[in-house]
Amino acid sequence: MLANHFQNGIETARLVWSRIPNSEESQLLDDAVGILKKNDGGGVESLDYEVIENFAYREEQAQRGKLYVSYLLVVKWFFALLIGICTGLAAVVINIAVENFAGWKFSVTFNIIQKSYIAGFVVYVLINLALVFSSVYIITQFAPAAAGSGIPEIKGYLNGVDIHGILLFRTLIGKIFGSIGSVGGGLALGKEGPLVHTGACIASLLGQGGSTKYHLNSRWFQVFKSDRDRRDLVTCGCAAGVAAAFRAPVGGVLFALEEVTSWWRSQLMWRVFFTSAVVAVVVRAAMGWCKSGKCGHFGSGGFIIWDISDGQEDYSFAELFPMAIIGVIGGLLGSLFNQLTLYITTWRRNHLHKKGSRVKIIEACLVSILTSAISFGLPLLRKCSPCPDSDLASGIECPRPPGMYGNYVNFFCSKDKEYNDLATIFFNTQDDAIRNLFSAKTINEYSSQSLLTFLVMFYALAVITFGTAVPAGQFVPGIMIGSTYGRLVGMFVVKYYRRLNIEEGTYALLGAASFLGGSMRMTVSLCVIMVEISNNLKFLPLIMLVLLISKAVGDAFNEGIYEEQAQLRGIPLLESRPKYEMRNMTAKEACGSGRVVSFPRVVKVSDVVSILRSNKHNGFPVIDHTRSGEPLVIGLVLRSHLLVILQSKVDFQHSPLPSDPRGGGRSIRHDSGEFAKPVSSKGICIDDIHLSSDDLEMYIDLAPFLNPSPYIVPEDMSLTKVYNLFRQLGLRHLFVVPRPSCVVGLITRKDLLIEDKENVNTLELQSTSNSATE
């Protein structure tokens, strides 16, 4: 009977394996998702954050009153509430699942190693392998866009670049379940970066009313259809993801402001802050519910917060020097980490991943086996240490009872009152390992040899794991690496400064901040996040010091890890500062010498189809002529709008003359929602539109559909000014024209300070009465 079950299991595994597409069957999905194709840019497309003020938009604005504006405002706040609730619940599900898988895994392993360490090792490796396999299988077969942290892609989206597939429903599902498998499987990665992507997906799906493909949509939620409104929702989702990951609502707001967004305003700040506050309430309520034991192994360690409020209370001026050294080490190791991951990821994409999905699965499984072997095998080579004198006030028990993990783990120790310091940080969940490294009142818990061994091995594992086809965050691995060398420096300070109030855990916290600053190059948001997760405001000046130093040192070698990965994925980010070479260039030089493809105001349908097929441009100038025959630019028409017009055919006309000679002010048959592109999809393609020969002979008057007021710059404007204008306004197209010959008017600050109508009428009445008196 057992043999039959075993044979059935083998056959099932063979069937699953045979269904995995090989390199010849698949088109290498991540080449179509997240990587810019040099041929036609098929994987990346710009977003239309600019308001297209065509006649459809103007008619809708004219019909909307103050009541509708108030309704939209209420709906935006309601969406902020929903984003906070859903992101908080998603974080709770991920954390409960990860903690239960990890807790069950360690409990089973500890129980088995009481009888046989070999059997325990085999079970430990198999459990991790099964979890990692489930994660990589979901990613490669269901949601390839869910691989990695997702932060570079979301940063690109908020910068104005749409990578197809990053905000789909299947990406959200793949991110959630893939994170559970990869983090629960013990890989050297975290779930915090994927939570940012998860929050962005939730926000985007709510904004478009759900998923149409999977029939999980509602027309009640289809209110915001423009890229501009979706950008605000995705920003709220990013902040909610950070707030849920670290239980740091203020840090989430600052993370969205500092790291991922390229455009910000005060109204958005309020909604982002409200969303983060909602997440904090949801997470707090879930943790309170789980304290009653209803969540299995999930406990206080389920969400990242390492309370060291009972740690070092004061520091001396002499300690600033070793703290500055921690900042330098963080900058060096962080920049080295960025460079190594860039090299390895480039090699992996160019050689390894081109061989198909099977190779990705094999690679992730091999990394899982290697990680499990190191985390289980290295503590076996380490001699156990005698337990320190028990301190009942600290609440720390040494050693831990068999089958338990935490501080002072008894692993392969011959005596009862001994513990394995390397197993305490290696053979443990990452959250508990960091809690052990941050812990106060535990001087001499770790030897320098164990910390140095862990630092080298985990650093190497983090570099190798980064880039595998699983959801992977870098916050927690960075904290573990930094806290390890920070604790090493703390041991040196305790030994040579000989002061009783120095805590090694304080230096571990500073080391964690320095490595994250040296790798991610964040300052303000990271400082607030570290203060919130440590629950100790006294460390704020010290964290600021090490962050400034580590960022300065890291900037001397390369860019931050998100910028490096965005460049590797071909995401054309516009950074906050233009390149130095742009100062000596003009707008005309940047345009190149190519001919501008334009349309006349009334254009033949066959000409539109021909132009759309012959190039990939997304915006076209529309040219009309004055009575004297001089050309006149009357606006900009988008490719997506032309495709909608061609598909509907309702605006075709037989006459080659304008439908309204006065300017095209006729009532059109479309609303602005019809021109909105579905989120994170390619929308309508010219090959999908079928036109008869009679249709091709007809004409279209483009005046009602164009944007009559696009942004324009003179041809001799400095490219630096053009760059700042383009990025800060979130533009997709910018007209370059010759120097104007005349000036119609001049707008100053007072012309933009428009008061309410009642106040204006009052002022006019007063001015009239005064003039009458005079």
Side-chain angles (χ1 to χ4, degrees):
M1 181 69 69
L2 182 61
N4 292 336
H5 284 295
F6 181 76
Q7 184 67 26
N8 291 336
I10 294 295
E11 292 299 329
T12 303
R14 286 178 179 173
L15 179 61
V16 172
W17 184 258
S18 65
R19 290 181 178 177
I20 300 175
N22 54 29
S23 58
E24 297 178 355
E25 295 169 350
S26 66
Q27 293 286 328
L28 194 59
L29 288 175
D30 62 1
D31 279 342
V33 181
I35 299 179
L36 178 63
K37 295 182 178 179
K38 295 183 179 180
N39 297 336
D40 56 358
V44 175
E45 182 181 345
S46 296
L47 292 162
D48 295 303
Y49 287 153
E50 180 186 356
V51 177
I52 307 301
E53 297 179 339
N54 54 23
F55 285 104
Y57 173 82
R58 293 184 177 184
E59 284 184 359
E60 287 188 3
Q61 294 298 316
Q63 294 173 2
R64 294 175 179 178
K66 289 186 177 181
L67 182 61
Y68 188 81
V69 174
S70 302
Y71 164 75
L72 286 180
L73 184 62
V74 172
V75 172
K76 288 181 179 180
W77 283 95
F78 177 68
F79 270 68
L81 174 66
L82 288 181
I83 293 170
I85 294 175
C86 294
T87 306
L89 292 177
V92 169
V93 170
I94 293 174
N95 278 275
I96 290 178
V98 167
E99 287 293 314
N100 277 281
F101 276 124
W104 174 75
K105 173 182 65 179
F106 283 113
S107 298
V108 171
T109 304
F110 271 115
N111 290 330
I112 294 177
I113 63 177
Q114 303 302 319
K115 302 176 182 179
S116 171
Y117 275 86
I118 296 178
F121 171 72
V122 172
V123 171
Y124 180 71
V125 170
L126 290 178
I127 294 175
N128 283 337
L129 186 61
L131 290 171
V132 173
F133 176 81
S134 67
S135 175
V136 69
Y137 189 86
I138 290 172
I139 299 303
T140 55
Q141 306 307 310
F142 181 68
S149 69
I151 293 180
E153 289 81 0
I154 299 303
K155 186 173 182 178
Y157 182 89
L158 296 177
N159 193 256
V161 181
D162 184 16
I163 301 95
H164 302 304
I166 63 169
L167 298 174
L168 298 179
F169 178 74
R170 63 180 180 182
T171 303
L172 172 63
I173 298 301
K175 211 72 179 183
I176 293 175
F177 290 98
S179 299
I180 293 172
S182 61
V183 178
L187 294 180
L189 44 82
K191 54 184 178 293
E192 290 67 38
L195 266 174
V196 176
H197 194 178
T198 300
C201 289
I202 291 173
S204 177
L205 289 169
L206 287 174
Q208 66 174 342
S211 174
T212 305
K213 180 178 180 180
Y214 298 99
H215 306 288
L216 298 173
N217 59 335
S218 173
R219 298 188 62 181
W220 293 99
F221 290 97
Q222 295 176 2
V223 180
F224 305 108
K225 298 180 180 180
S226 68
D227 292 334
R228 189 183 184 92
D229 292 328
R230 289 170 183 160
R231 174 184 61 183
D232 293 349
L233 295 177
V234 171
T235 303
C236 292
C238 291
V242 175
F246 295 101
R247 290 174 60 193
V250 180
V253 176
L254 295 177
F255 176 84
L257 172 61
E258 179 183 7
E259 185 60 24
V260 295
T261 59
S262 303
W263 189 84
W264 196 263
R265 67 181 190 275
S266 59
Q267 297 94 331
L268 180 60
M269 169 79 81
W270 281 105
R271 291 199 297 274
V272 170
F273 185 76
F274 174 70
T275 304
S276 300
V278 172
V279 171
V281 172
V282 172
V283 171
R284 186 73 178 180
M287 291 188 64
W289 183 72
C290 288
K291 284 183 179 179
S292 59
K294 299 178 181 179
C295 301
H297 289 273
F298 180 83
S300 60
F303 280 91
I304 293 179
I305 185 165
W306 301 292
D307 192 342
I308 54 175
S309 57
D310 58 344
Q312 184 173 334
E313 297 182 356
D314 197 8
Y315 51 89
S316 63
F317 183 78
E319 291 182 67
L320 295 180
F321 178 72
M323 293 175 181
I325 296 296
I326 290 178
V328 174
I329 296 174
L332 294 174
L333 291 182
S335 59
L336 178 63
F337 182 86
N338 294 356
Q339 204 64 35
L340 291 176
T341 53
L342 181 63
Y343 289 151
I344 293 178
T345 307
T346 303
W347 174 85
R348 181 182 276 131
R349 287 180 179 273
N350 294 336
H351 300 89
L352 199 61
H353 286 180
K354 284 187 175 181
K355 298 180 180 180
S357 299
R358 291 185 181 181
V359 176
K360 296 180 184 179
I361 295 176
I362 294 174
E363 177 200 22
C365 292
L366 290 177
V367 171
S368 173
I369 294 173
L370 177 64
T371 304
S372 301
I374 290 176
S375 61
F376 192 98
L378 282 182
L380 295 176
L381 304 178
R382 178 65 184 166
K383 293 183 179 180
C384 293
S385 304
C387 288
D389 296 335
S390 60
D391 185 6
L392 298 178
S394 64
I396 298 177
E397 184 179 1
C398 180
R400 290 279 180 175
M404 298 295 292
Y405 53 96
N407 278 82
Y408 300 108
V409 173
N410 188 325
F411 187 82
F412 203 62
C413 297
S414 57
K415 298 181 181 179
D416 293 335
K417 286 296 182 178
E418 288 184 338
Y419 72 99
N420 192 317
D421 60 344
L422 193 56
T424 302
I425 48 178
F426 238 138
F427 198 68
N428 221 329
T429 63
Q430 292 183 3
D431 289 356
D432 285 317
I434 295 172
R435 190 173 289 106
N436 296 341
L437 290 169
F438 281 3
S439 60
K441 308 295 188 293
T442 55
I443 295 178
N444 300 323
E445 179 181 357
Y446 305 100
S447 64
S448 58
Q449 295 88 347
S450 296
L451 291 178
L452 192 60
T453 301
F454 177 80
L455 174 62
V456 173
M457 298 308 300
F458 192 83
Y459 191 95
L461 288 174
V463 171
I464 296 172
T465 307
F466 188 89
T468 53
V470 293
Q474 293 306 309
F475 276 100
V476 168
I479 292 174
M480 291 192 68
I481 293 171
S483 58
T484 304
Y485 67 73
R487 186 128 187 158
L488 277 169
V489 176
M491 293 173 63
F492 170 82
V493 174
V494 170
K495 182 177 180 180
Y496 289 96
Y497 280 62
R498 302 182 183 279
R499 292 183 57 191
L500 297 177
N501 66 330
I502 296 178
E503 289 287 351
E504 297 174 1
T506 300
Y507 287 83
L509 173 68
L510 298 179
S514 69
F515 185 84
L516 293 178
S519 176
M520 300 178 181
R521 312 293 160 79
M522 297 187 299
T523 53
V524 179
S525 59
L526 188 56
C527 181
V528 173
I529 289 173
M530 296 304 294
V531 170
E532 287 187 285
I533 63 178
S534 64
N535 197 24
N536 197 330
L537 194 60
K538 298 177 183 178
F539 297 147
L540 178 61
L542 305 180
I543 296 175
M544 294 172 64
L545 173 67
V546 297
L547 281 175
L548 290 173
I549 295 175
S550 63
K551 184 184 185 318
V553 173
D555 285 338
F557 294 95
N558 49 33
E559 293 184 301
I561 189 169
Y562 298 137
E563 288 75 17
E564 294 276 3
Q565 293 301 315
Q567 184 178 2
L568 177 64
R569 287 169 168 82
I571 302 174
L573 287 179
L574 293 179
E575 300 296 337
S576 58
R577 292 182 299 177
K579 300 294 183 181
Y580 181 81
E581 296 80 6
M582 292 183 178
R583 298 183 180 183
N584 300 320
M585 298 177 63
T586 62
K588 185 177 181 180
E589 295 173 350
C591 292
S593 57
R595 185 178 66 89
V596 178
V597 180
S598 61
F599 286 113
R601 173 180 170 176
V602 181
V603 60
K604 200 172 184 179
V605 173
S606 59
D607 294 337
V608 175
V609 174
S610 175
I611 291 178
L612 293 182
R613 289 185 185 275
S614 61
N615 63 77
K616 300 293 182 180
H617 300 322
N618 287 286
F620 303 91
V622 179
I623 310 298
D624 201 0
H625 292 83
T626 62
R627 293 183 178 180
S628 61
E630 295 181 0
L632 177 67
V633 179
I634 61 173
L636 171 76
V637 63
L638 297 180
R639 182 188 190 93
S640 58
H641 291 191
L642 291 173
L643 293 174
V644 171
I645 297 170
L646 292 176
Q647 189 180 50
S648 65
K649 304 179 184 180
V650 296
D651 295 285
F652 291 178
Q653 63 184 37
H654 295 281
S655 173
L657 300 176
S659 57
D660 185 356
R662 295 174 297 176
R666 66 179 177 85
S667 177
I668 63 175
R669 305 175 182 90
H670 303 274
D671 57 37
S672 59
E674 294 181 42
F675 296 112
K677 180 178 71 70
V679 64
S680 195
S681 66
K682 296 183 179 180
I684 307 172
C685 180
I686 184 63
D687 296 327
D688 300 331
I689 299 175
H690 303 285
L691 299 171
S692 64
S693 57
D694 294 336
D695 294 334
L696 295 175
E697 296 299 322
M698 300 186 73
Y699 295 86
I700 305 173
D701 185 2
L702 298 178
F705 310 101
L706 55 82
N707 182 7
S709 55
Y711 288 93
I712 298 175
V713 297
E715 60 182 353
D716 57 350
M717 177 182 282
S718 167
L719 192 57
T720 301
K721 295 178 66 176
V722 174
Y723 183 97
N724 292 328
L725 177 69
F726 194 95
R727 184 183 185 276
Q728 292 173 8
L729 294 179
L731 302 181
R732 185 174 185 177
H733 307 95
L734 188 61
F735 280 3
V736 179
V737 298
R739 174 66 63 178
S741 59
C742 62
V743 178
V744 177
L746 187 67
I747 294 179
T748 61
R749 180 183 297 269
K750 66 181 182 63
D751 300 315
L752 301 177
L753 298 176
I754 301 176
E755 301 181 15
D756 294 336
K757 290 184 178 180
E758 296 179 359
N759 296 334
V760 173
N761 294 334
T762 303
L763 290 175
E764 290 179 353
L765 183 61
Q766 291 176 354
S767 61
T768 304
S769 60
N770 291 335
S771 60
T773 305
E774 293 174 358

